[in-house]
């Protein structure tokens, strides 16, 4: 609070002239890092989905709705047909054709870098235009989840985006979409500005202009809201919930979220530098490869305390890959109990009656409370005899070291990071973070612990082949159970999406924590 009040005063003194009623100003915690819609990074997509539309849209719980395509159907087990909306046009007035969709999917498949949509396009064998409004997507095998996978691929203009790179999207030349807003300006490190499109297949948006300002400091972001410098902010830190609620000018809205905090574990090295004996030297063998040690770590974590006290109610304990209401949630997979006595017994059975030393790594700027949570987990591990050192790192450093590269393995032994599949489907989360790595298919693209389990891979193969929605979700639960019982990765809690709004506005909160101008309205 000593920091917040000076920031609030300074923000009030610098407040600009009254803003036009049709302008919406959003304060973002995470900065947009690029404008290419075929690079997969959450803050970027949050803004880009105002400008570009995929074939299929997702509601607040990631269930599918018509988007650029008004309908889709299975022609045969390995062929999907998508029908474009009649009269659909790009912002420059040119009609959207099936050829634009073909170009967009092929462009997304060919994208390079750490964050691409290769996992979502892994099953696509070919894309073709059957006629100007019909697209046929043939898959390498039956792919029931293809519509969900297409929900993340932005449709761009083949004419405008041909040979375009980041600079052409930044400047707007290639930034031609079909969404309710058109691209105006992106200033790296500062903001993105979009304006209402001249026409759209849905009713015109009430906001003529929307600006997304990047305010990474939590106190500064809340201060900007309280001062009236912005109308909406995302990621309200739990420690400042009370300030937002107490003001007669602002309100707080929270909802269960899709992003889950996981503890990743090194499954591939025989010996690691971050697990040490009493002398401080690396242990002869990697302890987290022992299933009893992994279970001990799991039981050491008090998820209820972390969610209710550590995160001050801004998180929900979880023991799987999807929370209630999301695709693939299994009621039988409850969060594990906190049982430090059993954890100590398991350590002794594994040959560590006196524990061992462990360094755990995490981010210190990815979400409010990440470093604090990591410190608390370190204390819980220490309480069962695992003497824990905690090293919080800036996200840019953490992910470079945690993800590894084509020539370098991930560095860490036990580390914590949040993840959510852009499709919102539990099996897709497992495919990305736990399936055996396969560069050709994109499986395991963020499998940071290099976990590999033939039984899990086979279970996910079965999920991928089931067309019946109910049966497929049941199969997702079977796959999740394999991973959870093996402690392949340790889910800790799911983050609640939290928004601060000025009085007089309403929002439909989303589980993916996106802040869409299309869900913000003046309250009646």
């Amino acid at each position: 609070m000593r920091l917040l009040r000076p920031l609030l005063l300074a923000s009030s003194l610098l407040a600009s002239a009254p803003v036009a009623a049709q302008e919406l100003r959003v304060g973002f915690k995470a900065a947009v890092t690029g404008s290419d819609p075929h690079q997969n990074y959450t803050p970027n997509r949050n803004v880009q989905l105002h400008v570009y539309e995929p074939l299929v849209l997702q509601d607040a719980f990631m269930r599918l709705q018509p988007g650029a395509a008004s309908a889709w159907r299975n022609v045969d087990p390995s062929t999907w047909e998508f029908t474009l909306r009649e009269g659909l046009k790009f912002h420059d007035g040119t009609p959207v054709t099936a050829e634009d969709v073909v170009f967009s999917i092929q462009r997304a498949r060919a994208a390079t870098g750490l964050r691409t949509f290769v996992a979502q396009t892994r099953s696509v064998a070919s894309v073709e235009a059957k006629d100007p409004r019909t697209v046929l997507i043939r898959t390498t095998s039956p792919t029931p989840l293809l519509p969900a996978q297409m929900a993340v691929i932005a449709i761009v203009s083949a004419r405008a985006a041909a040979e375009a790179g980041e600079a052409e999207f930044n400047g707007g030349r290639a930034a031609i979409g079909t969404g309710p807003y058109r691209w105006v300006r992106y200033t790296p490190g500062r903001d993105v500005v979009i304006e209402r499109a001249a026409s759209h297949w849905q009713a015109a948006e009430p906001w003529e202009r929307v600006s997304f300002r990047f305010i990474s400091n939590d106190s500064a972001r809340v201060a900007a809201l309280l001062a009236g410098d912005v109308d909406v902010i995302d990621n309200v830190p739990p420690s400042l919930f009370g300030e937002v609620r107490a003001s007669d000018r602002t309100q707080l809205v929270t909802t269960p979220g899709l992003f889950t905090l996981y503890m990743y574990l090194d499954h591939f090295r025989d010996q690691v530098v971050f697990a040490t004996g009493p002398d401080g030297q690396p242990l002869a063998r990697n302890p987290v490869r022992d299933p009893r040690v992994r279970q001990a770590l799991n039981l050491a974590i008090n998820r209820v305390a972390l969610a209710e006290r550590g995160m001050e109610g801004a998180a929900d304990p979880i023991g799987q890959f999807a929370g209630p209401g999301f695709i693939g949630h299994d009621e039988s997979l409850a969060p594990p109990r906190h049982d430090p006595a059993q954890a100590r017994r398991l350590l002794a059975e594994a040959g560590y009656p006196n524990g061992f030393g462990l360094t755990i790594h995490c981010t210190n700027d990815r979400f409010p409370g990440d470093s604090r949570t990591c410190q608390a987990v370190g204390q819980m591990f220490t309480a069962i005899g695992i003497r824990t050192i905690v090293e919080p790192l800036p996200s840019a450093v953490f992910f470079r070291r945690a993800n590894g590269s084509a020539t370098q393995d991930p560095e860490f032994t036990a580390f914590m990071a949040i993840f959510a599949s852009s499709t919102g489907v539990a099996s897709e989360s497992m495919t990305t973070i736990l399936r055996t790595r396969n560069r050709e298919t994109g499986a395991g693209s963020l499998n940071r612990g290099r976990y590999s389990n033939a039984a899990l891979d086979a279970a996910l193969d079965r999920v991928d082949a089931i067309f019946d929605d109910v049966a497929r979700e049941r199969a997702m639960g079977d796959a999740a159970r394999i991973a959870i019982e093996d402690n392949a990765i340790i889910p800790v809690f799911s983050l609640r999406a939290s928004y601060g709004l000025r009085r007089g506005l309403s929002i439909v909160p989303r589980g993916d924590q996106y802040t869409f101008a299309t869900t913000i309205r003046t309250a009646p």
Side-chain angles (χ1 to χ4, degrees):
M1 290 308 305
R2 288 194 297 271
L3 175 62
L4 176 61
R5 289 198 172 95
L7 284 168
L8 176 56
L9 176 60
S11 185
S12 298
L13 293 172
L14 294 172
S16 57
V19 178
Q22 288 190 322
E23 181 176 352
L24 183 70
R25 303 159 302 165
V26 181
F28 256 22
K29 176 178 176 61
V32 168
T33 61
S35 56
D36 189 326
H38 293 147
Q39 293 292 320
N40 187 8
Y41 181 52
T42 299
N44 300 4
R45 289 193 72 241
N46 190 155
V47 173
Q48 291 159 1
L49 283 170
H50 291 77
V51 177
Y52 310 96
E53 292 173 314
L55 290 168
V56 182
L57 297 176
Q58 297 164 309
D59 69 11
F61 282 90
M62 317 309 286
R63 306 281 171 173
L64 302 184
Q65 298 178 323
S70 57
W72 54 92
R73 69 185 182 97
N74 231 179
V75 176
D76 60 54
S78 297
T79 307
W80 283 90
E81 180 183 275
F82 292 83
T83 302
L84 296 179
R85 288 183 178 278
E86 188 172 1
L88 188 67
K89 292 184 178 181
F90 286 113
H91 296 150
D92 62 1
T94 59
V96 179
T97 70
E99 294 292 352
D100 293 300
V101 177
V102 171
F103 170 84
S104 299
I105 295 173
Q106 291 177 339
R107 186 178 188 275
R109 292 180 68 195
T112 59
L114 178 61
R115 299 184 175 107
T116 68
F117 293 105
V118 62
Q120 289 77 20
T121 58
R122 66 187 183 277
S123 62
V124 175
S126 65
V127 191
E128 65 179 85
K130 179 180 177 181
D131 60 48
R133 287 186 55 217
T134 309
V135 179
L136 292 178
I137 301 179
R138 293 188 170 85
T139 56
T140 54
S141 60
T143 309
L145 285 172
L146 187 79
Q149 293 163 354
M150 289 300 101
V152 303
I153 307 300
I155 305 305
V156 299
S157 165
R159 178 192 56 79
E163 305 300 323
E166 188 72 30
E168 287 75 24
F169 281 100
N170 280 3
R173 182 186 70 75
I176 308 297
T178 66
Y181 291 91
R182 66 177 185 85
W183 191 266
V184 174
R185 184 188 73 238
Y186 164 49
T187 306
R190 191 177 78 182
D191 65 6
V192 173
V193 176
I194 57 178
E195 289 182 352
R196 183 171 56 207
S199 63
H200 189 247
W201 53 269
Q202 291 182 310
E205 283 292 300
W207 312 112
E208 181 178 345
R209 186 181 182 91
V210 181
S211 60
F212 296 90
R213 287 175 50 192
F214 314 144
I215 312 174
S216 62
N217 181 276
D218 292 333
S219 294
R221 196 168 61 262
V222 171
L225 175 69
L226 296 175
D229 291 342
V230 294
D231 304 300
V232 179
I233 61 172
D234 69 352
N235 285 286
V236 179
S239 60
L240 296 178
F241 277 8
E243 290 295 306
V244 177
R245 288 188 177 117
S247 172
D248 59 4
R249 301 174 62 180
T250 59
Q251 56 185 312
L252 180 75
V253 177
T254 69
T255 192
L258 191 65
F259 277 89
T260 297
L261 178 68
Y262 296 100
M263 172 154 281
Y264 295 77
L265 301 169
D266 183 327
H267 289 273
F268 69 101
R269 270 182 283 245
D270 293 326
Q271 186 181 46
V272 292
V273 298
F274 294 117
T276 58
D279 58 357
Q281 296 301 307
L283 294 172
R285 57 191 172 95
N286 176 0
V288 301
R289 295 186 70 179
D290 189 311
R292 294 166 295 186
V293 173
R294 298 198 297 272
Q295 179 67 356
L297 294 174
N298 200 357
L299 296 177
I301 299 173
N302 188 337
R303 290 163 173 79
V304 173
L306 290 174
E308 294 182 356
R309 297 196 293 275
M311 290 295 293
E312 301 179 73
D316 297 303
I318 197 169
Q320 56 182 296
F321 302 93
F326 293 102
I327 302 169
H329 175 75
D330 188 328
E331 290 289 343
S332 70
L333 292 173
R337 71 191 188 284
H338 176 225
D339 192 341
Q342 176 63 7
R344 285 189 287 270
R345 285 192 290 271
L346 286 166
L347 286 178
E349 289 177 15
Y352 304 101
N354 299 315
F356 54 87
L358 180 69
T359 299
I360 64 175
H361 295 82
C362 57
T363 60
N364 62 10
D365 58 359
R366 182 67 179 89
F367 67 90
D370 51 1
S371 179
R372 184 172 65 249
T373 296
C374 200
Q375 295 287 351
V377 169
Q379 293 169 10
M380 293 171 186
F381 287 170
T382 298
I384 66 166
I386 298 177
R387 301 171 299 280
T388 305
I389 297 171
V390 176
E391 288 192 10
L393 298 167
S395 293
V397 176
F398 174 88
F399 286 115
R400 184 180 70 248
R401 297 176 63 186
N403 292 337
S405 65
T407 58
Q408 183 173 346
D409 288 327
E411 294 183 33
F412 305 143
T413 302
F415 48 107
M416 303 177 74
I418 59 171
F419 174 80
S421 168
S422 53
T423 63
V425 179
S427 61
E428 292 294 281
S429 291
M430 288 182 273
T431 287
T432 302
I433 62 178
L434 284 179
R435 209 166 190 162
T436 300
R437 280 169 59 86
N438 184 319
R439 285 194 173 89
E440 290 184 5
T441 65
S445 59
L446 289 179
N447 185 343
R448 297 171 172 127
R450 301 296 191 261
Y451 181 75
S452 181
N453 184 332
L456 177 62
D457 292 345
L460 290 171
D461 285 342
R462 288 192 290 274
V463 171
D464 287 350
I466 299 173
F467 282 85
D468 180 80
D469 292 345
V470 175
R472 186 170 60 251
E473 286 207 46
R474 188 163 53 244
M476 286 185 204
D478 295 338
R481 196 167 291 104
I482 293 171
I484 294 302
E485 290 179 355
D486 195 31
N487 291 297
I489 195 169
I490 300 177
V492 179
F493 55 60
S494 58
L495 293 173
R496 296 185 70 84
S498 57
Y499 307 88
L501 293 83
R502 65 172 171 83
R503 295 283 180 182
L505 292 179
S506 67
I507 188 171
V508 178
R510 294 180 56 89
D512 56 15
Q513 301 188 19
Y514 284 168
T515 308
F516 285 161
T518 53
T519 67
I520 300 170
R521 296 290 185 261
T522 54

